[in-house]
Amino acid sequence: MNRRLFLQTGTAAASSLFLLKPLTVFGYAANSAIWLGLLGCGNRGTFVATSFSNNTSAQVVALADLFADKLDAGRAHFDQLNASLGRAPIDSKLLFRGPHAFEQLASSPDVDLIQISTPPFFHVRHLEAAVASGKHVYCEKPVGIDVRQATQALKIAGLVKPAQSVDVGFQCRSAPPIAAVADRIKAGALGKIALASGYYYAPASKEKTHPGAGPDEYRLRNWLWDRALSGDILVEQNIHIIDLCNWLLGARPLKATATGGRNILTHYGDCWDNYQVDFTYPGDLHFSFSSKQFSSDSLFDAGLRLFGSAGSASIPYSGPLRITGAQPWAWQDAASTAPGSGRFAPNGAFSDNLAFADRDKERSFIDSITSGNTHNQIAAGVESALSCMMGRMAGYRHREVTWENLLAHGETYQLGLNLDQFA
Ligand SMILES: NC(=O)c1ccc[n+]([C@@H]2O[C@H](COP(=O)([O-])OP(=O)(O)OC[C@H]3O[C@@H](n4cnc5c(N)ncnc54)[C@H](O)[C@@H]3O)[C@@H](O)[C@H]2O)c1
C-alpha cells in the first residue's frame, strides 16, 4: 500500500492498524519526506513552499499554475532549491498548467500535501478539490471572498477526514512573540478586556505587466486591486489583524459600522485604499480598526492593542511587544526594533516580531501530519473572513451591518471572465 492509499483509507482501516508502530499510523515516519504540490507559483506561494522545504520534512515535488511563465519560474526556483538540499529536481510529469491544473494536481498520487497560494477568489474552489482528494492542505487566507464562498467552505470543512490536516495561512498567530503574549492574555493578564484598537498601514503594490497580456490576463496578474479576485484590502490583507483580534478575544464581532474609500489610488482596480471600521463584540466591546494601502513611501505599520481592567497589551508587527499593568511582561527582543520600523514584504516575509511566524506555522502544520494530531482550521478561517466581509459591507453600504444581515444578504461576487481562454 503506498502512502497516499494508506492515508485515504484513514479511519476506515483503523481497526487493522493496531499492529503498526505509532509513527507510521498516519503513513509518515517523523523523518520521511512529505511530498508537497504548490498551486500558484507566485510571490507568496514560492516563499511559503521554500520555507516548508528549509524548515520541515516537506519536499516540493509538484507545481501547478495558470500561466506558463509562472510555472517555469517556479520550476527553476525549486529545482535549484532541491539541488541545494540534496533532493531530486521536479519531474516534468508533475508540472501542471492552465485552468484545470488544480484538478490535475489534486488527482496526482505523488502528492501528499497541496499548498494553495492562488488569488483569493479561487481559494474555496481549489480547497474543495484538494480536500476531496484526501490530501493534506495548506490554504492561504482568506477562506472565501464572499458569503457564498464562505458557506461553501463550511460545507468543505465537514468533509475533511480525520486523518487529513488542513491549515489556513494565518501565520501571525504562530510568531513566537505573539504566541507568548496570547498565552498570557488567554490566562487573564488583562482582566476584563473592554476595548481593542488595530491598524494596518501598508504601501501600494506595484503593477504587474506582462507582454501581450489582454484585459482578462491583466486582471488576473493584478488581482490584488480587483474586488472580486481579492475581496478588497479588508478581506485580503487587513484580515491578519482582525483574525488576531478574534483569536485573542475568543469571539467574533456581532456588527460593524465603517467608512473608507478610494482617495489616492488612480490605477486599475476597484478596491478601496483606506478603511475605518468599528466592530462591536459581545459585551459591548468595541474594536476600532483603521487601514490604508497606498503611497510609495516605505511606511509600514500594523498591529493590535487590547485594553483591559488589569492591563493593556501592545502587539505590533515591529517594535516593543508587551503587556503593561498588573502583570507586566515584554518580549525580550522587543526593544531592538522601533515602532513602525518594519519593512513591508509583499510575500509576507516580515521581520521583527514576525520573523519566525512562517517557520513555526509550517512546523506546526507538518507536526500535525506526522503526529496524527490533525488540524481542521477551515471554520476558524471562515469566521475571520466573514468578520472582514461584514466590515466591508458596512463600508460599501454606509450603514451598520450585523452578522445576520451579512449572512441573510448572501453577497456574491462574480469573476466575470472565462478561465478556459488560458487552457
Ligand atoms: N499570509 C500572508 O502573509 C500573505 C502574504 C501575501 C499573500 N498572501 C496570499 O497568498 C495568495 C497569493 O498571493 P501572491 O502575492 O503570491 O500572488 P501572486 O500573483 O504573486 O501569485 C499568484 C499565483 O497564482 C497563479 N494563479 C492565478 N490564478 C490561478 C488559477 N486559477 N489556477 C492556478 N494558478 C493561478 C498566478 O499565475 C500566480 O503565479 C493570496 O491569497 C494572498 O492573499 C498571503
Side-chain angles (χ1 to χ4, degrees):
M1 186 186 289
N2 69 23
R3 298 188 311 161
R4 182 103 306 280
L5 277 175
F6 195 61
L7 176 70
Q8 282 169 339
T9 49
T11 49
S15 59
S16 62
L17 296 182
F18 63 92
L19 293 175
L20 298 169
K21 287 184 209 151
L23 274 180
T24 61
V25 164
F26 290 90
Y28 306 100
N31 58 356
S32 79
I34 291 177
W35 296 331
L36 185 153
L38 167 62
L39 175 59
C41 307
N43 269 343
R44 177 69 182 163
T46 303
F47 173 75
V48 171
T50 301
S51 179
F52 265 117
S53 302
N54 286 329
N55 295 309
T56 75
S57 58
Q59 174 178 343
V60 178
V61 298
L63 299 173
D65 202 286
L66 188 59
F67 296 122
D69 62 302
K70 305 297 283 187
L71 197 60
D72 291 347
R75 181 182 205 176
H77 173 85
F78 287 106
D79 278 354
Q80 196 175 38
L81 179 71
N82 282 343
S84 74
L85 296 170
R87 296 168 173 176
I90 293 172
D91 190 327
S92 301
K93 76 175 196 310
L94 294 179
L95 294 169
F96 306 105
R97 191 200 62 75
H100 300 287
F102 74 100
E103 288 157 334
Q104 294 165 318
L105 181 66
S107 57
S108 167
D110 296 312
V111 171
D112 299 315
L113 154 61
I114 295 181
Q115 180 192 318
I116 300 172
S117 301
T118 47
F121 183 87
F122 302 113
H123 288 174
V124 173
R125 185 155 183 227
H126 293 166
L127 182 67
E128 183 176 27
V131 166
S133 75
K135 303 181 196 311
H136 306 290
V137 191
Y138 184 97
C139 182
E140 265 306 338
K141 38 50 65 175
V143 188
I145 53 93
D146 61 18
V147 171
R148 181 184 59 173
Q149 290 191 359
T151 307
Q152 176 65 9
L154 289 178
K155 287 190 191 139
I156 298 167
L159 301 175
V160 174
K161 296 185 183 79
Q164 249 178 316
S165 208
V166 182
D167 260 25
V168 174
F170 288 120
Q171 78 274 19
C172 300
R173 292 186 184 196
S174 300
I178 295 182
V181 81
D183 285 345
R184 285 163 176 81
I185 292 169
K186 288 177 181 179
L190 305 186
K192 180 184 175 189
I193 301 173
L195 179 71
S197 154
Y199 50 97
Y200 203 117
Y201 303 127
S205 68
K206 292 196 174 61
E207 181 188 20
K208 292 178 182 172
T209 52
H210 191 70
D216 288 349
E217 183 175 339
Y218 178 89
R219 262 188 80 199
L220 285 162
R221 290 186 187 267
N222 291 283
W223 61 265
L224 189 70
W225 303 332
D226 186 292
R227 230 179 242 186
L229 281 162
S230 79
D232 210 327
I233 66 170
L234 204 58
V235 176
E236 194 278 327
Q237 183 181 61
N238 308 160
I239 192 169
H240 281 294
I241 299 298
I242 293 161
D243 174 70
L244 280 184
C245 190
N246 282 3
W247 178 54
L248 292 171
L249 296 179
R252 61 155 175 85
L254 303 173
K255 58 185 182 178
T257 55
T259 59
R262 188 177 168 94
N263 297 344
I264 301 287
L265 296 184
T266 52
H267 59 53
Y268 161 80
D270 51 4
C271 291
W272 281 8
D273 60 24
N274 70 93
Y275 272 93
Q276 302 281 337
V277 190
D278 187 69
F279 291 106
T280 304
Y281 283 73
D284 205 31
L285 187 161
H286 286 261
F287 172 35
S288 141
F289 179 80
S290 166
S291 75
K292 68 106 187 160
Q293 192 188 91
F294 58 77
S295 79
S296 55
D297 67 15
S298 56
L299 176 76
F300 173 58
D301 202 3
L304 176 69
R305 300 187 73 180
L306 299 176
F307 303 91
S309 57
S312 306
S314 187
I315 310 168
Y317 276 20
S318 60
L321 191 149
R322 63 191 171 197
I323 290 176
T324 49
Q327 297 177 40
W329 170 86
W331 179 251
Q332 68 267 20
D333 296 332
S336 60
T337 54
S341 64
R343 193 177 48 81
F344 181 68
N347 62 2
F350 299 118
S351 54
D352 305 323
N353 295 327
L354 294 190
F356 299 109
D358 281 294
R359 181 198 68 182
D360 287 10
K361 170 80 180 169
E362 284 127 32
R363 285 183 177 165
S364 128
F365 180 50
I366 296 300
D367 282 352
S368 78
I369 296 170
T370 53
S371 67
N373 296 320
T374 52
H375 299 166
N376 183 349
Q377 300 181 345
I378 298 175
V382 167
E383 188 169 275
S384 292
L386 283 169
S387 303
C388 297
M389 291 175 209
M390 186 167 67
R392 180 184 64 189
M393 185 183 272
Y396 290 172
R397 298 187 148 210
H398 301 290
R399 67 165 176 79
E400 183 180 277
V401 173
T402 65
W403 192 266
E404 290 71 28
N405 294 152
L406 174 74
L407 296 185
H409 181 275
E411 62 164 3
T412 299
Y413 285 84
Q414 303 299 334
L415 181 57
L417 63 85
N418 183 357
L419 284 184
D420 282 337
Q421 66 187 291
F422 303 109

Coordinates of all heavy atoms in Angstrom, one line a residue, residues 199-207 224-225 233 236-238 264-265 267 271-274 290-302 317 340-348 350:
Y199 N -4.6 48.4 13.5 CA -4.2 49.2 12.3 C -3.4 48.4 11.4 O -2.7 47.5 11.8 CB -3.5 50.5 12.8 CG -2.3 50.1 13.7 CD1 -1.0 50.0 13.3 CD2 -2.6 49.9 15.1 CE1 0.0 49.7 14.1 CE2 -1.6 49.6 15.9 CZ -0.3 49.4 15.5 OH 0.7 49.1 16.3
Y200 N -3.5 48.8 10.1 CA -2.7 48.1 9.0 C -2.4 49.2 8.0 O -3.2 49.4 7.1 CB -3.4 46.9 8.4 CG -2.5 45.9 7.8 CD1 -2.4 44.6 8.3 CD2 -1.7 46.2 6.7 CE1 -1.6 43.6 7.7 CE2 -0.8 45.3 6.2 CZ -0.8 44.0 6.7 OH 0.1 43.1 6.1
Y201 N -1.2 49.8 8.1 CA -0.9 50.9 7.2 C 0.2 50.4 6.3 O 1.4 50.2 6.7 CB -0.4 52.1 8.0 CG -1.4 52.6 9.0 CD1 -1.1 52.8 10.3 CD2 -2.7 52.9 8.6 CE1 -2.0 53.3 11.2 CE2 -3.7 53.4 9.5 CZ -3.3 53.5 10.8 OH -4.2 54.0 11.7
A202 N -0.2 50.1 5.0 CA 0.7 49.5 4.0 C 0.9 50.4 2.8 O 0.0 51.1 2.5 CB 0.2 48.1 3.6
P203 N 2.0 50.2 2.1 CA 2.2 50.9 0.9 C 1.4 50.2 -0.2 O 0.9 49.1 0.0 CB 3.7 50.9 0.6 CG 4.2 49.7 1.4 CD 3.2 49.5 2.5
A204 N 1.3 50.9 -1.4 CA 0.7 50.3 -2.5 C 1.6 49.3 -3.2 O 2.8 49.4 -3.1 CB 0.3 51.3 -3.6
S205 N 1.0 48.3 -3.8 CA 1.9 47.3 -4.5 C 2.2 47.8 -5.9 O 1.5 48.7 -6.4 CB 1.2 45.9 -4.6 OG 0.1 46.0 -5.4
K206 N 3.1 47.2 -6.6 CA 3.5 47.6 -8.0 C 2.7 46.8 -9.0 O 2.3 45.7 -8.8 CB 5.0 47.3 -8.2 CG 5.9 48.1 -7.4 CD 7.3 48.1 -7.9 CE 8.2 49.0 -7.2 NZ 8.4 48.7 -5.8
E207 N 2.4 47.6 -10.1 CA 1.6 46.9 -11.2 C 2.5 45.8 -11.8 O 3.7 46.0 -12.0 CB 1.3 48.0 -12.2 CG 0.5 47.5 -13.4 CD 0.4 48.6 -14.5 OE1 1.3 49.5 -14.5 OE2 -0.5 48.4 -15.4
L224 N -4.8 41.8 -7.0 CA -4.8 42.5 -5.7 C -5.7 43.7 -5.7 O -6.2 44.1 -4.7 CB -3.4 42.9 -5.3 CG -3.1 43.4 -3.9 CD1 -3.3 42.3 -2.9 CD2 -1.8 44.0 -3.8
W225 N -5.8 44.4 -6.8 CA -6.6 45.6 -6.9 C -8.0 45.4 -7.3 O -8.8 46.3 -7.5 CB -5.9 46.6 -7.9 CG -4.5 46.9 -7.6 CD1 -3.9 46.9 -6.3 CD2 -3.5 47.2 -8.5 NE1 -2.6 47.1 -6.4 CE2 -2.3 47.4 -7.8 CE3 -3.4 47.4 -9.9 CZ2 -1.1 47.7 -8.3 CZ3 -2.2 47.7 -10.5 CH2 -1.1 47.9 -9.7
I233 N -9.1 45.2 0.3 CA -8.0 45.2 1.2 C -8.3 44.7 2.6 O -7.5 44.1 3.3 CB -7.2 46.6 1.3 CG1 -8.1 47.6 2.0 CG2 -6.7 47.0 0.0 CD1 -7.3 48.9 2.3
E236 N -8.6 40.8 2.1 CA -7.3 40.2 1.7 C -6.1 40.4 2.6 O -5.4 39.5 2.9 CB -7.0 40.7 0.2 CG -6.0 39.9 -0.5 CD -4.5 40.2 -0.2 OE1 -4.2 41.4 0.1 OE2 -3.7 39.3 -0.2
Q237 N -6.0 41.7 3.0 CA -4.7 42.0 3.7 C -5.0 42.2 5.2 O -4.3 41.6 6.1 CB -4.1 43.2 3.1 CG -2.8 43.6 3.7 CD -2.2 44.9 3.0 OE1 -2.8 45.9 3.1 NE2 -1.0 44.7 2.4
N238 N -5.9 43.1 5.5 CA -6.2 43.5 6.9 C -6.7 42.4 7.8 O -6.7 42.4 9.0 CB -7.2 44.7 7.0 CG -6.8 45.8 6.1 OD1 -7.6 46.7 5.7 ND2 -5.5 46.0 5.6
I264 N -6.8 57.9 -3.1 CA -5.4 58.2 -3.6 C -5.2 57.4 -4.9 O -4.7 57.9 -5.9 CB -4.4 57.8 -2.6 CG1 -4.6 58.6 -1.3 CG2 -2.9 58.0 -3.1 CD1 -4.2 60.1 -1.4
L265 N -5.5 56.1 -4.9 CA -5.1 55.2 -6.0 C -5.9 55.7 -7.3 O -7.1 55.9 -7.2 CB -5.5 53.8 -5.7 CG -4.7 53.1 -4.5 CD1 -5.1 51.6 -4.4 CD2 -3.2 53.3 -4.7
H267 N -4.8 54.0 -10.3 CA -4.5 52.9 -11.3 C -5.7 52.0 -11.4 O -6.7 52.1 -10.7 CB -3.3 52.1 -11.0 CG -3.3 51.5 -9.6 ND1 -4.3 50.6 -9.2 CD2 -2.4 51.6 -8.6 CE1 -4.0 50.2 -8.0 NE2 -2.9 50.8 -7.6
C271 N -10.7 48.3 -5.7 CA -10.6 48.1 -4.2 C -10.4 49.5 -3.6 O -9.8 50.4 -4.2 CB -9.4 47.3 -3.9 SG -9.5 45.6 -4.3
W272 N -10.9 49.6 -2.4 CA -10.7 50.8 -1.6 C -9.2 50.9 -1.2 O -8.5 49.9 -1.1 CB -11.6 50.9 -0.4 CG -13.0 51.2 -0.7 CD1 -13.6 51.4 -1.9 CD2 -14.0 51.5 0.3 NE1 -14.9 51.8 -1.8 CE2 -15.2 51.8 -0.5 CE3 -14.1 51.5 1.7 CZ2 -16.4 52.1 0.1 CZ3 -15.3 51.8 2.3 CH2 -16.4 52.1 1.5
D273 N -8.8 52.1 -0.9 CA -7.4 52.2 -0.4 C -7.3 52.7 1.0 O -6.3 52.8 1.6 CB -6.6 53.2 -1.3 CG -7.1 54.6 -1.4 OD1 -7.8 55.0 -0.4 OD2 -6.8 55.3 -2.4
N274 N -8.5 52.8 1.7 CA -8.5 53.1 3.1 C -9.8 52.6 3.8 O -10.9 52.7 3.1 CB -8.2 54.5 3.5 CG -9.3 55.5 3.1 OD1 -10.2 55.8 3.9 ND2 -9.3 55.9 1.8
S290 N -8.3 50.6 11.6 CA -8.0 51.6 10.6 C -7.0 51.0 9.6 O -6.0 50.4 10.1 CB -7.5 52.9 11.3 OG -6.9 53.7 10.4
S291 N -7.1 51.3 8.3 CA -6.1 50.8 7.4 C -6.0 51.6 6.2 O -6.9 52.4 5.8 CB -6.5 49.3 7.0 OG -7.5 49.3 6.0
K292 N -4.8 51.5 5.5 CA -4.6 52.1 4.2 C -3.6 51.3 3.4 O -2.8 50.6 4.0 CB -4.1 53.6 4.4 CG -2.7 53.7 4.9 CD -1.7 54.1 3.9 CE -0.3 54.1 4.4 NZ 0.7 54.0 3.3
Q293 N -3.8 51.4 2.1 CA -2.9 50.7 1.2 C -2.7 51.6 0.0 O -3.3 51.5 -1.0 CB -3.5 49.3 0.8 CG -2.5 48.4 0.1 CD -3.1 47.2 -0.5 OE1 -3.5 47.2 -1.7 NE2 -3.2 46.1 0.2
F294 N -1.8 52.6 0.2 CA -1.4 53.5 -0.9 C -0.1 54.1 -0.5 O 0.4 53.9 0.6 CB -2.5 54.6 -1.1 CG -2.8 55.4 0.1 CD1 -2.0 56.5 0.5 CD2 -4.1 55.2 0.7 CE1 -2.4 57.3 1.6 CE2 -4.4 56.0 1.8 CZ -3.6 57.1 2.2
S295 N 0.4 54.9 -1.4 CA 1.7 55.6 -1.4 C 2.9 54.7 -1.6 O 2.8 53.5 -1.3 CB 1.9 56.4 0.0 OG 2.3 55.5 1.0
S296 N 3.9 55.3 -2.1 CA 5.1 54.6 -2.4 C 6.2 54.7 -1.3 O 7.3 54.2 -1.5 CB 5.7 55.0 -3.8 OG 5.9 56.4 -3.7
D297 N 5.9 55.5 -0.3 CA 6.9 55.6 0.8 C 7.0 54.2 1.5 O 6.2 53.3 1.3 CB 6.6 56.7 1.8 CG 5.4 56.5 2.6 OD1 4.9 55.4 2.6 OD2 4.9 57.5 3.2
S298 N 8.0 54.1 2.3 CA 8.2 52.8 2.9 C 7.5 52.6 4.2 O 7.7 51.5 4.9 CB 9.7 52.6 3.1 OG 10.2 53.6 3.9
L299 N 6.6 53.5 4.6 CA 5.9 53.4 5.8 C 5.1 52.1 5.9 O 4.3 51.8 5.0 CB 4.9 54.5 6.1 CG 4.1 54.3 7.4 CD1 5.0 54.6 8.6 CD2 2.9 55.2 7.4
F300 N 5.4 51.3 6.9 CA 4.6 50.1 7.1 C 4.4 49.9 8.5 O 5.4 49.8 9.3 CB 5.3 48.8 6.4 CG 4.6 47.6 6.8 CD1 3.2 47.4 6.5 CD2 5.2 46.5 7.4 CE1 2.5 46.2 6.8 CE2 4.5 45.4 7.8 CZ 3.2 45.2 7.4
D301 N 3.2 49.8 9.0 CA 3.0 49.6 10.4 C 1.7 48.9 10.6 O 0.6 49.3 10.0 CB 2.9 51.0 11.1 CG 3.1 51.0 12.6 OD1 3.5 49.9 13.1 OD2 3.0 52.1 13.2
A302 N 1.7 47.8 11.4 CA 0.5 47.0 11.6 C 0.5 46.5 13.0 O 1.6 46.2 13.5 CB 0.4 45.9 10.6
Y317 N 3.6 44.6 14.7 CA 4.5 43.7 13.8 C 5.9 44.0 14.1 O 6.8 43.2 14.1 CB 4.2 44.0 12.3 CG 3.0 43.2 11.8 CD1 2.0 42.6 12.5 CD2 2.9 43.0 10.4 CE1 1.0 41.9 12.0 CE2 1.9 42.3 9.8 CZ 0.9 41.8 10.6 OH -0.1 41.1 10.0
G340 N 6.9 50.7 14.2 CA 6.7 51.1 12.8 C 7.9 51.1 11.9 O 7.9 51.6 10.8
S341 N 9.0 50.4 12.4 CA 10.2 50.4 11.6 C 10.3 49.2 10.7 O 11.2 49.0 10.0 CB 11.4 50.4 12.5 OG 11.4 49.1 13.3
G342 N 9.2 48.4 10.7 CA 9.2 47.2 9.9 C 9.2 47.5 8.4 O 8.8 48.6 8.0
R343 N 9.6 46.6 7.6 CA 9.6 46.7 6.2 C 8.5 45.9 5.6 O 8.3 44.8 6.0 CB 11.0 46.2 5.6 CG 11.3 46.6 4.2 CD 12.7 46.0 3.9 NE 12.9 44.6 4.3 CZ 12.4 43.6 3.6 NH1 11.8 43.8 2.4 NH2 12.6 42.3 4.0
F344 N 7.7 46.5 4.7 CA 6.6 45.7 4.1 C 7.2 44.7 3.2 O 8.1 45.0 2.4 CB 5.6 46.7 3.4 CG 4.5 45.9 2.8 CD1 3.5 45.3 3.6 CD2 4.3 45.7 1.4 CE1 2.5 44.6 3.1 CE2 3.3 45.0 0.9 CZ 2.3 44.4 1.8
A345 N 6.6 43.5 3.2 CA 7.0 42.4 2.3 C 5.8 41.9 1.6 O 5.0 41.3 2.2 CB 7.7 41.3 3.2
P346 N 5.7 42.1 0.3 CA 4.6 41.6 -0.4 C 4.3 40.1 -0.3 O 3.2 39.6 -0.5 CB 4.8 42.0 -1.9 CG 5.9 43.0 -1.8 CD 6.7 42.8 -0.6
N347 N 5.4 39.3 -0.1 CA 5.2 37.9 0.1 C 5.0 37.4 1.5 O 5.0 36.3 1.8 CB 6.4 37.2 -0.5 CG 7.7 37.5 0.2 OD1 7.7 38.2 1.2 ND2 8.8 36.9 -0.3
G348 N 4.8 38.4 2.4 CA 4.5 38.1 3.8 C 5.8 37.7 4.6 O 5.7 37.3 5.8
F350 N 7.8 39.0 6.7 CA 8.0 40.1 7.6 C 9.2 39.8 8.5 O 9.5 38.7 8.8 CB 6.7 40.4 8.3 CG 5.6 40.8 7.4 CD1 4.5 40.0 7.4 CD2 5.7 41.9 6.6 CE1 3.4 40.4 6.6 CE2 4.6 42.2 5.8 CZ 3.5 41.5 5.7

